[in-house]
């Protein structure tokens, strides 16, 4: 088993990564402080893993569960309210712990519910997709979408524990595995060139779901992210580099409708756009953009804008992005492969050229 | 002008109390950091004070406002979402400041919206009722109600500034003035016996809306509350004494339907119940309970349970109160007039006797 610590002072917490962790009652008993637990999961994951988890939780006084509809389209205030309904109907008090069993949507909503229920209760993450294991389970960003913008309503809220059971990846659809790999590649691009090179060599093992390769990639991704988050928990500065490709990606998701493009797919195309813009600024080489393209292509990830989106669609959608500050669009660009920076002065013409180079009309 | 500081480390903020503050653009310019402002108010307050406030905000780049329906019945996730709708439709970014202009409901919802919008934006409180001036504007509790419980969804979130313009009390209905006085009396009961004695002498001046008496009572109430909150921002211990009378009061509000009894009225009756229970425990004298009753009576505040509520209604409603921890009901009782404690071991028979003494069947 790998284990690492996300270092945030009194809000620090451990991430445990390994096989068979869901069935290990010990870890849960150790990290859950109260006697009440609500498991939040979705209708896809419930039949696969809920029963096993409930067995591990059998020693608690009150254990309830709620299975939400699956998908980004349901990451809304209305669905969030179903978690509050359950907590109140089952009379959970302030000592309860919310356990998120599922992907990023479940993790984000459960974490936000934990942040808000009675102004804050404990929270444990059990991410079951590669994407959520390497991304949303580290760093405490929680929230829901609004029809006018993704993740516009939320909180920074840290869990007590993240439990990553590699075995849950055996049931993950290929397309979602690839979407998770997009975020793994991102860490190489923004802060870990050595890991990027490792991925170039080991991508086939990841796609074949080699447990050892997966565990290594997850642990390294979490460590990379934890280091960035520890420096800047509330994203006042450097943490924003984790949004590499995301501002473009959010525009794609917003225009396509949440769920039609997976988050990781939108981020993949968005990373190419951001890399292209970095090249136009003269910071990275065409060869660096090509290495990214090759890696994404191996993982069957998109590198082009959806055909139905024009430059104006991006510019409009990006103007409400959270990265806008006092009217200025801040983008994450690369000074070099493995070295991302937040940049507030991208010339509009270069931005448009980068979008066109990626197929936006 | 009175001014005091709520001392919470890097989350400290000033409270300014005086006449004509709404029309003073200087205070707002000094404390609002960005160039964008959304004023959140309600349909009762908007025609009275919104225009004057907007004039004071004229120097900012983007100033929008939203008037929500008035009343506790609208303190819901749905109404909260109207604030997010406005922020997103008007394209407010992370640098915006939400200004709450109204009573406690507006303050609680605006503060919670500020806590959640893009995971946290700045927040200024301009409370326009006595209740919100002496209570909800200090301490950072924000949130909305759920059909199954009051304030069940929320956050601890501190404002940048609280601006208390005494002039707004001239338009406050008598019944709401009295409801605010209930919370003022509470500070005397829980931690400030000298202030309680001052209230016994000066209640008539408060009811006659003498500006000097009002400003003094508000300043002293805020200072009492600020001292308690500074010791225990997130209510892990002593802060709970501020809930004196509230657990009973919440039960009354929940059963009567929010808004039929004003919060301060429910708290008034709840304080008598808590005082009675303290007397049954042998901690305070019948005379202390009588002094409370006389003061409440002067202010036309209720001292008895609503006629339609029985003991069981209280016990059921109180079992989901946030003050329940691992199944134990924690109540705030008085060791002496001016000295409140949180107590987890109230004998059920004494609790029932106190409720019966206050008219619950």
């Amino acid at each position: 088993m790998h284990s690492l610590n996300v270092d945030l002072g009194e809000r620090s917490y451990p991430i445990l990564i390994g096989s068979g962790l869901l069935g290990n009652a010990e870890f849960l008993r150790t990290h859950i402080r109260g006697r009440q637990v609500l498991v939040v999961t979705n209708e896809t994951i419930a039949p696969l893993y809920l029963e096993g988890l409930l067995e591990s939780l059998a020693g608690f006084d009150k254990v309830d569960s709620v299975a939400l509809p699956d998908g980004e389209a349901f990451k809304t205030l209305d669905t969030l309210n179903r978690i509050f309904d359950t907590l109140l109907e089952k009379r959970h008090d302030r000592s309860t712990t919310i356990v998120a069993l599922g992907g990023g949507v479940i993790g984000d909503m459960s974490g936000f519910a934990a942040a808000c229920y009675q102004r804050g209760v404990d929270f444990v993450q059990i991410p079951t997709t590669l994407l959520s294991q390497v991304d949303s389970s580290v760093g405490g960003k929680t929230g829901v979408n609004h029809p006018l913008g993704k993740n516009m309503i939320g909180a920074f809220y840290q869990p007590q524990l993240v439990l990553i059971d590699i075995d849950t990846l055996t049931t993950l659809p290929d397309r979602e595995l690839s979407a998770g790999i997009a975020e793994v590649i991102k860490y190489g691009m923004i802060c870990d060139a050595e890991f990027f090179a490792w991925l170039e060599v080991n991508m086939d093992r990841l796609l074949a779901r080699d447990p050892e390769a997966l565990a290594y990639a997850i642990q390294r991704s979490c460590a990379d992210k934890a280091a960035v988050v520890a420096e800047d928990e509330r994203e006042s500065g450097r943490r924003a580099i984790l949004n590499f490709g995301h501002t473009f990606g959010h525009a794609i998701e917003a225009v396509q409708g949440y769920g039609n493009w997976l988050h990781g797919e939108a981020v993949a195309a968005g990373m190419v756009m951001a890399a292209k813009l970095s090249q136009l600024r003269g910071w990275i080489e065409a060869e660096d953009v090509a290495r990214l393209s090759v890696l994404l292509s191996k993982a069957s990830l998109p590198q082009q804008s959806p055909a139905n989106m024009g430059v104006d669609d991006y510019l409009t959608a990006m103007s409400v992005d959270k990265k806008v500050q006092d009217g200025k669009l801040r983008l994450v660009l690369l000074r070099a492969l493995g070295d991302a920076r937040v940049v507030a002065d991208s010339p509009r013409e270069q931005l448009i050229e980068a979008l066109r180079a990626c197929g936006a009309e």
Side-chain angles (χ1 to χ4, degrees), chain A residues 92-324:
Chain A
H92 284 249
D93 65 33
R94 235 167 154 169
S95 69
T96 197
T97 295
I98 296 180
V99 175
L101 175 70
V105 170
I106 289 297
D108 284 5
M109 281 201 290
S110 304
F112 188 39
C116 298
Y117 185 61
Q118 304 208 13
R119 300 197 187 90
V121 298
D122 282 357
F123 171 45
V124 167
Q125 292 247 38
I126 307 183
T128 59
T129 63
L130 181 59
L131 181 73
S132 58
Q133 290 169 350
V134 299
D135 181 23
S136 50
S137 66
V138 186
K141 281 194 179 178
T142 70
V144 297
N145 299 326
H146 183 280
L148 296 177
K150 196 173 148 75
N151 291 324
M152 282 290 156
I153 306 165
F156 287 96
Y157 202 69
Q158 307 298 341
Q160 268 60 47
L161 167 72
V162 178
L163 208 63
I164 298 179
D165 189 336
I166 304 281
D167 300 349
T168 59
L169 296 180
T170 57
T171 52
L172 191 69
D174 285 343
R175 188 176 163 198
E176 290 198 37
L177 185 75
S178 286
I181 287 173
E183 293 279 355
V184 172
I185 293 171
K186 182 193 76 179
Y187 295 111
M189 294 293 288
I190 61 170
C191 64
D192 194 346
E194 191 185 280
F195 184 38
F196 190 86
W198 182 91
L199 288 168
E200 292 181 309
V201 175
N202 291 282
M203 185 53 71
D204 293 336
R205 290 175 66 205
L206 290 180
L207 294 169
R209 307 187 192 217
D210 174 302
E212 205 181 301
L214 283 171
Y216 177 78
I218 292 166
Q219 178 268 324
R220 182 121 180 187
S221 297
C222 287
D224 282 342
K225 179 160 184 182
V228 173
V229 168
E231 267 183 61
D232 175 23
E233 184 181 358
R234 296 186 71 90
E235 196 168 320
S236 43
R238 177 166 164 79
R239 177 166 177 165
I241 67 167
L242 296 170
N243 295 308
F244 179 65
H246 282 57
T247 302
F248 297 100
H250 286 169
I252 295 174
E253 286 178 283
V255 174
Q256 301 304 312
Y258 297 131
N260 292 319
W261 274 51
L262 296 181
H263 176 66
E265 292 168 345
V267 166
M271 288 197 292
V272 180
M273 294 168 188
K276 189 71 200 171
L277 182 53
S278 309
Q279 182 201 337
L280 291 170
R281 297 293 294 254
W283 292 338
I284 64 170
E285 305 297 323
E287 190 210 322
D288 297 317
V289 183
R291 283 176 70 189
L292 172 63
S293 277
V294 168
L295 207 47
L296 294 173
S297 161
K298 266 197 185 174
S300 309
L301 285 162
Q303 298 136 65
Q304 290 276 308
S305 169
N308 64 347
M309 280 180 73
V311 165
D312 285 347
D313 294 320
Y314 285 91
L315 298 180
T316 305
M318 286 158 68
S319 70
V320 293
D321 191 273
K322 285 196 293 300
K323 279 83 228 175
V324 172

Side-chain angles (χ1 to χ4, degrees), chain A residues 74-82 84 112 144-145 153:
Chain A
F74 297 100
K75 189 173 155 182
T76 62
L77 275 182
D78 276 348
T79 314
L80 182 78
N81 206 21
R82 288 196 43 194
F84 298 131
F112 188 39
V144 297
N145 299 326
I153 306 165

